[in-house]
Amino acid sequence: MTPSGSAIAPEDPTWAGVRDRLRARGLRWTPQRRTLIEVLSHADGHVTGAELVERCRAIDATTTPSTVYRTLDVLEELGLLRHSHAADGREEFHVQPAAIHGHLHCIGCGTTWEIDADEAAALVTSIERRRDFAVDLSHLSIAGRCATCVSARADR
Ligand SMILES: [Zn+2]
Ligand SMILES: [Zn+2]
Ligand SMILES: [Zn+2]
């Protein structure tokens, strides 16, 4: 999906009032921030910070990564975004995820799957009980090999 360059859909409730909410956190509503919100309003799934910087630069070449990352931090504090980590540790952003979830990352083909709370429940409950450790499901990332990659290796 590429940014269309159109304005933020005013009916999109996720981004309603974001300008005032950012201002309340001491961030001025600058053209760069406006561009970032526009890019985010067209993004779905998982996007890395670098991809967001690139998409912003396609609209506004003067976009600076530091502004993008600082704004992403504040948007996450406001609950509009959540980040997780890919297998290599880099941050991936989700625009207001429908539900908090963890991830499986295949180290063979690079595919990512979401693990929902139900699927992770046994592991999360066990860790919470035995270690008195509150698990942040969105930071649960498990690396391994998917069925296709396992059988490709076995065939060799
Ligand atoms: Zn993190
Ligand atoms: Zn795979
Ligand atoms: Zn995810």
Side-chain angles (χ1 to χ4, degrees):
M1 199 187 227
T2 50
S4 68
S6 62
I8 305 158
E11 69 276 15
D12 185 343
T14 306
W15 304 106
V18 67
R19 169 189 179 144
D20 293 333
R21 296 178 74 188
L22 284 174
R23 273 193 181 142
R25 303 300 287 258
L27 298 187
R28 283 187 307 126
W29 185 248
T30 60
Q32 283 194 39
R33 294 211 165 92
R34 191 198 185 85
T35 300
L36 175 60
I37 300 301
E38 186 187 323
V39 165
L40 287 169
S41 73
H42 294 288
D44 44 26
H46 312 88
V47 243
T48 65
E51 283 165 350
L52 290 170
V53 169
E54 224 171 80
R55 291 180 198 180
C56 286
R57 283 201 161 147
I59 299 173
D60 174 358
T62 68
T63 302
T64 49
S66 58
T67 301
V68 170
Y69 286 105
R70 168 85 189 108
T71 309
L72 290 171
D73 280 350
V74 174
L75 290 170
E76 185 161 8
E77 285 165 25
L78 292 172
L80 294 167
L81 297 177
R82 190 172 272 276
H83 80 268
S84 62
H85 296 270
D88 59 5
R90 91 197 150 174
E91 289 185 333
E92 291 186 330
F93 294 89
H94 299 60
V95 175
Q96 212 178 39
I100 295 175
H101 57 263
H103 299 90
L104 295 180
H105 297 286
C106 177
I107 56 176
C109 63
T111 308
T112 298
W113 292 269
E114 297 188 349
I115 321 170
D116 64 20
D118 272 2
E119 202 175 355
L123 175 62
V124 168
T125 309
S126 156
I127 291 171
E128 291 188 344
R129 285 217 186 113
R130 291 192 202 185
R131 299 180 184 258
D132 203 15
F133 184 92
V135 174
D136 172 5
L137 181 58
S138 60
H139 270 73
L140 178 70
S141 291
I142 300 175
R145 281 196 166 77
C146 73
T148 311
C149 291
V150 168
S151 58
R153 271 162 74 93
D155 288 348
R156 247 183 254 154

